[in-house]
Amino acid sequence: MRQRDPAAARRPHLVVMVDNPVIGDSRMLKTADSAFNAGYDVTLLGLAKRTPPAGRHGPVPLYRVTVPAHRHHGYQSGQRLRERLGDVLPASPWPTQLPARAVNRMAAWAVRGVGGRTPLRSRARSLSRHIERPRLARGFRAQLEFLYEGPLDEETARTAAAEWNPDVLVDGRYRWLWPHMEDVEQAFVEALLDLDPDLIHAADRFCLVAAATYAGVRQAEGRPVRWIYDAHEWIPGQTLHGAPYAKTAWLAAEHELAPRADGVIAVSEELADRMRARHGLRERPTVVLNAPVSTRVAMDPAERRPLREEVGLEPEVPLLVYVGKLSELRGVLTTVQALPLLPGVHAAFVGSQDRIRADLQSLAEELGVADRVHLLDYVPAGCVTWYIASADIGLSPLLPTAAHHAALPTKIRECLQAGLPLVVSDMRAQGSFVRETGVGAVHRPGDPRSLAEAARTVLDDLAAYRAAITQELLAEHTWEGQERRLVALWRSLVPTTGTAAGHVLPGERPEDLRTPGHDPASVGIVGPTTAVSTPLQDALEAAGERAHRVGPASEPVVDPSASTGQIRASLVHWLRLQDGPRRLIYTEPAPHCPLIHRRLFTEVTALRAMGHNVAVLLEPLTHVRPEDLFAAVPGHPLDARAEEVRARYARQVRRNRAQLEDLDATLLTTGLNAAGLLPRAVWLPFPVAPTTRSGPGTATLRVLVAPGPRTPSEQQHVEALVARLAHDPAVRVTRMDVTRGGPAPDLAGHHLVLDPLTLGEHSPTAAQAMAHGAVVVSGARSQVAAGVLAQHLDAVQLDPALLSCVLLAAASQDVDETVAGALAHLSREAADGSGETADLARRVASQLHGAQSVRLAVERALGPSPA
């Protein structure tokens, strides 16, 4: 169990949970800002729905859980079986389709019989004890009518009488009624167990169940956690998707769990009164209106411009704006249907990426108003009032539901803060508000003609309606005023004496989450240290590039012995990666933050979407198909291996290539053949550091047999050559075998290096040997390698003739002659002390493998340094 240090005690950890991807949920984003400003260490926790699993909101890290949906899919399969087999199956078999680990885990988490007796629980138990079984269905129907606050439709009633047992509505058995809620509960609870919060702010129904379960787990461990239920909707009045019994499950869950919360929040006075009466709450819920911040936060012009400017309208063109989730129940189709009755008036919908967008576009084309309908994406919550201020009227055309009658939507207050008069449908709460304040007009819900008349009324007298938006009215409907109630509730449960360093506005990024020294214009080298990563960084810095290491995500940010905190640690690493260099080189094909992005593809995709250029450094040959390699390099050592070795190599390549499928990143490799055979690959010359000239020559010539793969015939030839040279008193031969991960060979002081001859290219050892002034006996280059090398020679302006003087090509049958000639030449130079060949070798290595050459390859892969 994690022990909190004194600094952590001053900033308790508060998790803000919401059952959506968080993008566009202005209330929860403002809640996170307020918590940070109040001195809490905050994490936003949401659901991943076609969104990246991690991100940030200003200073607050954001983590989105992925829902496994095992139970939901199993339940659906069971329902289909029941439809086919009739009453043969006595119950839905969905639990049998779950992995055993998931069943055991959720059974351990189940919290039953905690929290006292509520009116519904007492009523159900009374029915179970005193009503005869034939009358049980009628009694259960009474329970359902209590939940639904009125008579049931016949479909729901028939299903209840035929299939349901009233026990599903007590002691957590609502999970069996609608299994999908348990899938979401599992995902959230697993994240909470790792995040280990001191306080949970749970919004809406999915998070209610998860927060209650997590609190029960911690209670059983003897360390209770406080939690708050932030109710945004009146669930009995909501129209929920899915089967009728899904809504019954949610109604039962809220009725059972809301009384257990340490605090309950409602978004309106009416909702607070109704929730207290319905659930028998000990205290009336705290009312926190969903009001916008009073400060208008402008966005970077490179990202978004004011609404009217984005849609390209002159100031005199009337513009209506709708902000929020796009759905038919929220009246967006009614708005489009009203446009033919409003000649010259445009309507902008700033909302979610829902499928109804296509319906809106189709309807607009059908009505001939497509040129006056504008569909735009969300802007950050704190920027909404700035963004829409150039419009003329704000819309809230809700259609009738019990929840909509009780709602005063956020968009109404956002429009007021932007100075926009309102046109709203005649729902009880919003209609009364607009009539009482005089800030707009009301229309009949779902009636395009009525909406058009209301819009024309306001457009004809815009100045008067704008004058009704007084400073006194605005002061009552700002988030700053609501924030005080929210912070008071948090501090009554988990006090905090610390405060943030200054008030953070939405979208700001304070320096406390940035890694010191990270420069967006530099090159970030991401991942574990490899044989290439350190010399690569040194070479870039020597070439005038700013480069720094981004260590492995396993680098401890929290106590490494702790069983919790790894998600939070990964979030910190991820945010640092986002804030760091725009150009990144991964030293291995694996995600930097595997807890956040389980695949390299998702991590690179997220980085590319944020403007990063990414390259992945591959070991030579680990991703090249064997058939391609052996066709390009006949006689390659791998082709001479045993059949099982070649098969194992082929399987490894298939696995490795699968990691790179659809990856939008450049590949870097130090192998010439790999660079020519892999798509999107760039050759990275193995980086070598410049060396000073050695001292005067000696009579003894030193020969190094470089490590690397060799065919059996080549190996025999090398053995024979070494045996002959061993009898020459003027030559000393060194054999060096380097295992993977072992120390690099010491190449200083050698005059000649015998490279593997059948690789079709020179090895990194040869490059390092040239930097130390050695001549290299290497095999002939393959056509693929020669083509890649020729392009690079042109780029670094190196004469191929100079390279051929240092890299002596030799086939296996004439190695003796090549080595003998090279040793004779080097012996003469040693005798006269000129060292011209060593100087030439260093010059070639400096141009071909030196800092500027490496920088050129990196720029080809990632582009030049940003200004």
Side-chain angles (χ1 to χ4, degrees):
M1 189 180 302
R2 182 176 55 176
Q3 300 296 319
R4 301 186 187 279
D5 58 28
R10 291 194 299 274
R11 287 183 64 87
H13 187 195
L14 190 156
V15 169
V16 178
M17 296 172 60
V18 61
D19 58 348
N20 61 43
V22 186
I23 298 173
D25 193 327
S26 61
R27 180 178 179 89
M28 302 322 295
L29 296 175
K30 289 178 295 194
T31 298
D33 289 332
S34 296
F36 180 85
N37 291 328
Y40 291 92
D41 187 14
V42 187
T43 302
L44 269 166
L45 186 60
L47 286 178
K49 295 180 180 178
R50 301 185 298 276
T51 50
R56 74 179 322 147
H57 170 67
V60 178
L62 165 61
Y63 180 61
R64 300 182 181 97
V65 300
T66 300
V67 178
H70 296 308
R71 297 165 182 81
H72 186 57
H73 292 157
Y75 172 82
Q76 289 179 319
S77 300
Q79 288 299 99
R80 287 192 292 270
L81 280 173
R82 295 189 72 179
E83 291 173 3
R84 292 176 57 190
L85 302 179
D87 295 330
V88 175
L89 296 178
S92 174
W94 66 266
T96 64
Q97 302 189 24
L98 285 175
R101 180 169 172 265
V103 173
N104 295 336
R105 181 167 55 242
M106 292 308 296
W109 288 348
V111 181
R112 295 192 173 92
V114 180
R117 296 166 68 86
T118 66
L120 178 60
R121 186 177 295 112
S122 301
R123 189 174 306 184
R125 288 174 178 165
S126 176
L127 284 168
S128 299
R129 286 197 302 269
H130 301 300
I131 299 180
E132 298 176 3
R133 296 301 297 182
R135 299 173 56 198
L136 205 54
R138 292 197 302 275
F140 184 50
R141 179 164 179 164
Q143 296 179 53
L144 293 173
E145 289 178 347
F146 167 77
L147 287 173
Y148 280 85
E149 295 187 317
L152 294 176
D153 61 87
E154 286 306 312
E155 180 187 0
T156 304
R158 283 196 305 271
T159 310
E163 298 185 11
W164 295 345
N165 186 303
D167 287 344
V168 300
L169 298 185
V170 295
D171 296 342
R173 294 176 190 168
Y174 48 78
R175 294 185 180 96
W176 289 83
L177 196 58
W178 187 236
H180 183 53
M181 68 167 61
E182 198 171 4
D183 285 325
V184 183
E185 176 188 18
Q186 174 186 338
F188 272 127
V189 171
E190 287 182 339
L192 287 171
L193 287 170
D194 184 275
L195 292 171
D196 195 18
D198 301 293
L199 177 62
I200 300 173
H201 186 110
D204 281 338
R205 58 186 191 275
F206 276 111
C207 299
L208 163 70
V209 177
T213 300
Y214 175 77
V217 172
R218 292 307 192 203
Q219 179 72 40
E221 293 175 351
R223 48 183 296 251
V225 174
R226 316 302 290 273
W227 63 284
I228 294 168
Y229 173 42
D230 188 349
H232 296 176
E233 304 280 358
W234 178 236
I235 294 181
Q238 281 189 285
T239 301
L240 302 182
H241 296 292
Y245 35 88
K247 182 172 180 178
T248 305
W250 288 120
L251 293 168
E254 184 183 56
H255 189 70
E256 179 177 336
L257 300 177
R260 300 184 192 176
D262 297 291
V264 178
I265 295 173
V267 295
S268 69
E269 302 290 346
E270 178 181 344
L271 182 58
D273 293 334
R274 298 181 76 177
M275 288 189 67
R276 185 179 189 186
R278 176 181 178 80
H279 303 310
L281 301 178
R282 295 184 299 273
E283 298 179 359
R284 184 176 185 269
T286 302
V287 177
V288 178
L289 302 177
N290 196 9
V293 294
S294 59
T295 305
R296 294 188 186 180
V297 181
M299 295 183 67
D300 186 335
E303 297 179 10
R304 298 294 291 270
R305 292 170 286 119
L307 173 61
R308 186 175 289 273
E309 188 177 343
E310 278 195 351
V311 299
L313 297 181
E314 296 299 325
E316 65 276 5
V317 178
L319 177 59
L320 317 181
V321 62
Y322 171 93
V323 181
K325 181 176 177 58
L326 302 178
S327 77
E328 187 172 353
L329 275 176
R330 302 196 181 197
V332 294
L333 295 178
T334 308
T335 303
V336 176
Q337 290 165 346
L339 285 181
L341 305 173
L342 292 166
V345 176
H346 289 241
F349 297 88
V350 183
S352 52
Q353 289 278 1
D354 291 287
R355 283 176 290 191
I356 197 174
R357 279 194 172 203
D359 297 334
L360 285 169
Q361 195 67 48
S362 298
L363 179 61
E365 291 172 0
E366 179 184 335
L367 298 175
V369 295
D371 59 328
R372 294 192 280 133
V373 172
H374 310 279
L375 301 175
L376 302 111
D377 293 334
Y378 278 132
V379 296
C383 304
V384 171
T385 54
W386 162 82
Y387 180 70
I388 66 174
S390 57
D392 296 303
I393 292 176
L395 301 175
S396 180
L398 299 175
L399 299 186
T401 69
H404 286 173
H405 272 295
L408 192 63
T410 305
K411 58 177 65 67
I412 284 182
R413 298 186 178 92
E414 288 173 334
C415 290
L416 290 178
Q417 293 293 337
L420 305 185
L422 299 167
V423 169
V424 305
S425 58
D426 197 1
M427 298 294 102
R428 184 173 62 252
Q430 68 178 17
S432 298
F433 174 79
V434 169
R435 287 190 183 96
E436 292 169 4
T437 58
V439 294
V442 177
H443 66 87
R444 289 186 299 276
D447 186 338
R449 186 171 298 278
S450 179
L451 190 155
E453 291 173 356
R456 180 56 60 195
T457 298
V458 176
L459 287 171
D460 288 344
D461 200 3
L462 267 180
Y465 285 105
R466 285 173 176 162
I469 307 174
T470 63
Q471 290 302 315
E472 292 76 15
L473 178 63
L474 294 178
E476 295 175 14
H477 295 275
T478 62
W479 182 254
E480 288 83 350
Q482 305 304 311
E483 185 180 53
R484 289 190 289 272
R485 303 177 190 175
L486 194 57
V487 173
L489 177 59
W490 289 332
R491 287 179 171 166
S492 70
L493 299 175
V494 178
T496 175
T497 56
T499 57
H503 193 86
V504 176
L505 294 174
E508 289 187 346
R509 296 186 180 186
E511 295 297 325
D512 64 336
L513 283 175
R514 296 183 182 227
T515 301
H518 277 207
D519 180 359
S522 66
V523 177
I525 301 175
V526 184
T529 301
T530 66
V532 183
S533 61
T534 299
L536 172 60
Q537 180 180 358
D538 294 340
L540 289 174
E541 291 175 347
E545 284 277 8
R546 290 162 290 182
H548 73 273
R549 298 268 306 137
V550 180
S554 57
E555 175 186 322
V557 177
V558 295
D559 181 0
S561 64
S563 60
T564 60
Q566 297 308 308
I567 289 178
R568 178 75 181 187
S570 293
L571 283 171
V572 171
H573 276 289
W574 176 240
L575 296 183
R576 289 175 175 174
L577 193 61
Q578 290 184 68
D579 286 336
R582 301 291 94 184
R583 297 181 296 163
L584 299 171
I585 298 175
Y586 278 67
T587 61
E588 63 175 3
H592 176 60
C593 303
L595 283 180
I596 305 299
H597 302 278
R598 303 188 189 279
R599 295 174 54 212
L600 178 64
F601 170 79
T602 57
E603 185 164 292
V604 169
T605 300
L607 288 168
R608 295 279 296 174
M610 291 181 286
H612 292 71
N613 289 339
V614 182
V616 180
L617 183 60
L618 304 179
E619 291 187 18
L621 307 186
T622 56
H623 293 75
V624 178
R625 284 192 291 256
E627 58 270 25
D628 296 339
L629 176 63
F630 301 153
V633 190
H636 192 281
L638 282 174
D639 198 16
R641 299 292 176 89
E643 182 65 31
E644 61 271 18
V645 175
R646 294 200 305 272
R648 188 166 59 247
Y649 168 61
R651 289 194 298 272
Q652 178 191 11
V653 168
R654 283 196 297 270
R655 288 194 300 269
N656 292 341
R657 289 176 73 94
Q659 293 176 323
L660 305 181
E661 190 174 351
D662 299 325
L663 185 67
D664 186 15
T666 303
L667 307 180
L668 279 172
T669 176
T670 58
L672 284 165
N673 287 306
L677 295 173
L678 288 174
R680 307 188 317 278
V682 171
W683 182 55
L684 175 71
F686 189 92
V688 297
T691 59
T692 58
R693 179 173 177 171
S694 304
T698 62
T700 302
L701 295 177
R702 298 184 61 191
V703 177
L704 174 71
V705 179
R710 290 180 168 88
T711 62
S713 60
E714 180 188 345
Q715 189 64 39
Q716 292 176 3
H717 202 92
V718 169
E719 296 289 349
L721 176 62
V722 170
R724 284 194 296 274
L725 292 177
H727 299 293
D728 187 343
V731 178
R732 192 175 82 185
V733 180
T734 302
R735 311 257 333 239
M736 184 165 289
D737 294 319
V738 179
T739 58
R740 181 169 177 169
D746 181 11
L747 300 172
H750 290 96
H751 299 83
L752 186 142
V753 172
L754 184 58
D755 211 24
L757 303 177
T758 49
L759 297 179
E761 59 185 316
H762 66 271
S763 68
T765 302
Q768 297 172 82
M770 287 189 291
H772 286 281
V775 173
V776 177
V777 176
S778 179
R781 290 184 291 275
S782 71
Q783 290 186 350
V784 170
V788 173
L789 186 58
Q791 293 179 1
H792 204 80
L793 290 176
D794 290 341
V796 298
Q797 297 181 346
L798 177 63
D799 186 350
L802 297 180
L803 182 62
S804 63
C805 293
V806 178
L807 279 172
L808 305 178
S812 57
Q813 62 270 21
D814 59 5
V815 175
D816 292 347
E817 181 179 343
T818 304
V819 170
L823 289 176
H825 176 75
L826 293 171
S827 178
R828 290 192 296 272
E829 283 198 353
D832 61 25
S834 66
E836 291 179 359
T837 302
D839 290 339
L840 178 61
R842 293 189 191 94
R843 176 184 167 190
V844 169
S846 176
Q847 280 190 260
L848 185 58
H849 291 271
Q852 294 299 335
S853 183
V854 169
R855 177 179 182 177
L856 176 64
V858 169
E859 288 185 350
R860 286 176 60 196
L862 298 174
S865 175

